[in-house]
Short mmCIF file of all heavy atoms in Angstrom, two decimals:
data_model
loop_
_atom_site.label_atom_id
_atom_site.label_comp_id
_atom_site.label_asym_id
_atom_site.label_seq_id
_atom_site.Cartn_x
_atom_site.Cartn_y
_atom_site.Cartn_z
N PRO A 1 -27.59 23.31 32.41
CA PRO A 1 -28.01 23.08 31.02
C PRO A 1 -26.85 22.45 30.14
O PRO A 1 -27.24 21.96 29.03
CB PRO A 1 -28.43 24.51 30.55
CG PRO A 1 -28.76 25.19 31.74
CD PRO A 1 -27.83 24.72 32.78
N THR A 2 -25.63 22.51 30.57
CA THR A 2 -24.53 21.94 29.84
C THR A 2 -24.50 20.50 29.90
O THR A 2 -23.83 19.68 29.21
CB THR A 2 -23.21 22.57 30.22
OG1 THR A 2 -22.88 22.05 31.54
CG2 THR A 2 -23.20 24.02 30.24
N SER A 3 -25.15 19.92 31.03
CA SER A 3 -25.02 18.51 31.35
C SER A 3 -25.57 17.51 30.34
O SER A 3 -25.30 16.34 30.50
CB SER A 3 -25.61 18.25 32.76
OG SER A 3 -26.96 18.43 32.70
N ALA A 4 -26.31 17.92 29.44
CA ALA A 4 -26.85 17.10 28.32
C ALA A 4 -26.89 17.80 26.99
O ALA A 4 -27.00 19.10 27.00
CB ALA A 4 -28.14 16.46 28.73
N TYR A 5 -26.76 17.13 25.93
CA TYR A 5 -26.92 17.62 24.55
C TYR A 5 -25.78 18.46 24.12
O TYR A 5 -25.91 19.42 23.23
CB TYR A 5 -28.20 18.38 24.35
CG TYR A 5 -29.45 17.49 24.86
CD1 TYR A 5 -30.14 17.89 25.92
CD2 TYR A 5 -29.78 16.29 24.21
CE1 TYR A 5 -31.16 17.20 26.40
CE2 TYR A 5 -30.84 15.51 24.70
CZ TYR A 5 -31.51 15.98 25.80
OH TYR A 5 -32.54 15.23 26.31
N GLY A 6 -24.62 18.39 24.78
CA GLY A 6 -23.38 19.01 24.36
C GLY A 6 -23.14 20.31 25.07
O GLY A 6 -24.02 21.15 25.35
N HIS A 7 -21.82 20.54 25.36
CA HIS A 7 -21.32 21.73 25.99
C HIS A 7 -21.13 22.82 24.92
O HIS A 7 -21.05 24.01 25.25
CB HIS A 7 -20.05 21.54 26.85
CG HIS A 7 -20.31 20.74 28.03
ND1 HIS A 7 -20.14 21.23 29.31
CD2 HIS A 7 -20.60 19.47 28.17
CE1 HIS A 7 -20.38 20.22 30.09
NE2 HIS A 7 -20.69 19.16 29.49
N PHE A 8 -21.08 22.29 23.65
CA PHE A 8 -20.67 23.37 22.59
C PHE A 8 -21.78 23.27 21.45
O PHE A 8 -22.46 22.37 21.28
CB PHE A 8 -19.26 22.95 22.03
CG PHE A 8 -18.19 22.82 23.11
CD1 PHE A 8 -17.43 21.74 23.25
CD2 PHE A 8 -17.99 23.93 24.01
CE1 PHE A 8 -16.42 21.61 24.26
CE2 PHE A 8 -17.03 23.75 25.03
CZ PHE A 8 -16.28 22.67 25.11
N GLY A 9 -21.70 24.39 20.73
CA GLY A 9 -22.67 24.50 19.64
C GLY A 9 -23.96 25.00 20.08
O GLY A 9 -25.07 25.02 19.33
N ARG A 10 -24.17 25.45 21.37
CA ARG A 10 -25.41 25.88 21.84
C ARG A 10 -25.52 27.36 21.73
O ARG A 10 -24.52 28.12 21.53
CB ARG A 10 -25.46 25.47 23.35
CG ARG A 10 -25.19 24.01 23.73
CD ARG A 10 -26.30 23.09 23.29
NE ARG A 10 -27.47 23.22 24.25
CZ ARG A 10 -27.47 22.58 25.43
NH1 ARG A 10 -26.55 21.78 25.70
NH2 ARG A 10 -28.52 22.69 26.19
N LYS A 11 -26.66 27.96 21.76
CA LYS A 11 -26.86 29.47 21.68
C LYS A 11 -26.47 30.08 22.99
O LYS A 11 -27.00 29.78 24.04
CB LYS A 11 -28.30 29.73 21.34
CG LYS A 11 -28.62 29.32 19.83
CD LYS A 11 -30.01 29.70 19.44
CE LYS A 11 -30.29 29.34 18.02
NZ LYS A 11 -31.80 29.77 17.61
N PRO A 12 -25.67 31.12 22.81
CA PRO A 12 -25.31 31.90 24.14
C PRO A 12 -26.55 32.71 24.53
O PRO A 12 -27.25 33.23 23.76
CB PRO A 12 -24.22 32.82 23.76
CG PRO A 12 -24.28 32.93 22.23
CD PRO A 12 -24.93 31.60 21.78
N LEU A 13 -26.83 32.74 25.94
CA LEU A 13 -28.13 33.30 26.43
C LEU A 13 -27.73 34.59 27.21
O LEU A 13 -26.58 34.73 27.76
CB LEU A 13 -28.85 32.37 27.28
CG LEU A 13 -29.18 30.97 26.56
CD1 LEU A 13 -29.90 30.06 27.69
CD2 LEU A 13 -30.09 31.22 25.38
N THR A 14 -28.68 35.48 27.28
CA THR A 14 -28.47 36.70 28.05
C THR A 14 -28.34 36.36 29.60
O THR A 14 -27.77 37.25 30.32
CB THR A 14 -29.67 37.72 27.94
OG1 THR A 14 -30.91 36.95 28.29
CG2 THR A 14 -29.77 38.15 26.45
N THR A 15 -28.70 35.23 30.02
CA THR A 15 -28.58 34.78 31.35
C THR A 15 -27.10 34.38 31.69
O THR A 15 -26.74 34.15 32.88
CB THR A 15 -29.40 33.61 31.65
OG1 THR A 15 -29.12 32.51 30.67
CG2 THR A 15 -30.89 33.97 31.51
N GLY A 16 -26.27 34.39 30.68
CA GLY A 16 -24.83 33.97 30.90
C GLY A 16 -24.51 32.54 30.42
O GLY A 16 -23.32 32.26 30.42
N HIS A 17 -25.55 31.81 30.19
CA HIS A 17 -25.40 30.37 29.77
C HIS A 17 -24.62 30.35 28.44
O HIS A 17 -25.01 31.18 27.61
CB HIS A 17 -26.61 29.62 29.77
CG HIS A 17 -27.28 29.55 31.05
ND1 HIS A 17 -28.09 30.43 31.57
CD2 HIS A 17 -27.33 28.55 32.03
CE1 HIS A 17 -28.57 30.09 32.75
NE2 HIS A 17 -28.14 28.89 33.03
N PHE A 18 -23.68 29.48 28.28
CA PHE A 18 -22.92 29.23 27.00
C PHE A 18 -22.24 30.51 26.39
O PHE A 18 -22.25 30.72 25.27
CB PHE A 18 -23.92 28.65 25.95
CG PHE A 18 -24.63 27.37 26.35
CD1 PHE A 18 -25.85 27.37 26.88
CD2 PHE A 18 -23.79 26.13 26.50
CE1 PHE A 18 -26.53 26.20 27.27
CE2 PHE A 18 -24.53 24.98 26.91
CZ PHE A 18 -25.70 25.11 27.31
N SER A 19 -21.75 31.34 27.34
CA SER A 19 -20.94 32.51 26.99
C SER A 19 -19.84 32.21 25.97
O SER A 19 -19.47 33.07 25.29
CB SER A 19 -20.54 33.27 28.21
OG SER A 19 -19.66 32.41 28.93
N TRP A 20 -19.21 30.99 26.12
CA TRP A 20 -18.18 30.63 25.26
C TRP A 20 -18.45 30.36 23.77
O TRP A 20 -17.60 30.19 23.01
CB TRP A 20 -17.43 29.46 25.88
CG TRP A 20 -18.37 28.22 26.13
CD1 TRP A 20 -18.76 27.26 25.33
CD2 TRP A 20 -19.14 28.09 27.31
NE1 TRP A 20 -19.66 26.42 26.00
CE2 TRP A 20 -19.96 26.89 27.24
CE3 TRP A 20 -19.24 28.79 28.58
CZ2 TRP A 20 -20.79 26.45 28.17
CZ3 TRP A 20 -20.02 28.25 29.61
CH2 TRP A 20 -20.80 27.14 29.43
N GLU A 21 -19.82 30.53 23.55
CA GLU A 21 -20.29 30.37 22.19
C GLU A 21 -20.44 31.77 21.43
O GLU A 21 -20.79 31.79 20.32
CB GLU A 21 -21.58 29.62 22.22
CG GLU A 21 -21.46 28.14 22.54
CD GLU A 21 -20.59 27.29 21.54
OE1 GLU A 21 -20.79 27.46 20.28
OE2 GLU A 21 -19.77 26.60 21.96
N LYS A 22 -20.15 32.74 22.18
CA LYS A 22 -20.19 34.15 21.55
C LYS A 22 -19.04 34.31 20.54
O LYS A 22 -17.98 33.68 20.64
CB LYS A 22 -20.02 35.23 22.64
CG LYS A 22 -21.23 35.26 23.56
CD LYS A 22 -21.06 36.47 24.54
CE LYS A 22 -22.13 36.63 25.53
NZ LYS A 22 -21.87 37.68 26.46
N THR A 23 -19.31 35.09 19.52
CA THR A 23 -18.35 35.39 18.48
C THR A 23 -17.91 36.99 18.61
O THR A 23 -17.81 37.53 17.57
CB THR A 23 -18.83 35.10 17.14
OG1 THR A 23 -20.15 35.66 16.94
CG2 THR A 23 -19.02 33.57 16.93
N ASP A 24 -17.71 37.39 19.87
CA ASP A 24 -17.42 38.73 19.99
C ASP A 24 -15.99 39.15 19.86
O ASP A 24 -15.55 40.33 20.12
CB ASP A 24 -18.01 39.24 21.39
CG ASP A 24 -17.47 38.37 22.59
OD1 ASP A 24 -16.65 37.43 22.34
OD2 ASP A 24 -17.97 38.63 23.67
N LEU A 25 -15.13 38.25 19.53
CA LEU A 25 -13.77 38.45 19.18
C LEU A 25 -13.47 38.63 17.70
O LEU A 25 -12.31 38.97 17.30
CB LEU A 25 -12.83 37.35 19.79
CG LEU A 25 -12.54 37.28 21.23
CD1 LEU A 25 -11.54 36.15 21.54
CD2 LEU A 25 -11.99 38.61 21.81
N VAL A 26 -14.48 38.42 16.88
CA VAL A 26 -14.26 38.49 15.49
C VAL A 26 -13.56 39.75 15.03
O VAL A 26 -12.67 39.78 14.19
CB VAL A 26 -15.50 38.19 14.71
CG1 VAL A 26 -15.44 38.48 13.26
CG2 VAL A 26 -15.92 36.73 14.96
#
């Protein structure tokens, strides 16, 4: 799913996709 429409700015999913978009360090 990262291969098109950007690797960043996507919604993190419970499946583990786009985990780097989480804001759990705030």
Side-chain angles (χ1 to χ4, degrees):
T2 70
S3 63
Y5 313 112
H7 291 246
F8 307 127
R10 311 283 288 273
K11 290 184 179 180
L13 304 176
T14 55
T15 54
H17 296 83
F18 304 104
S19 58
W20 49 93
E21 293 296 315
K22 292 181 179 180
T23 53
D24 52 4
L25 283 184
V26 167

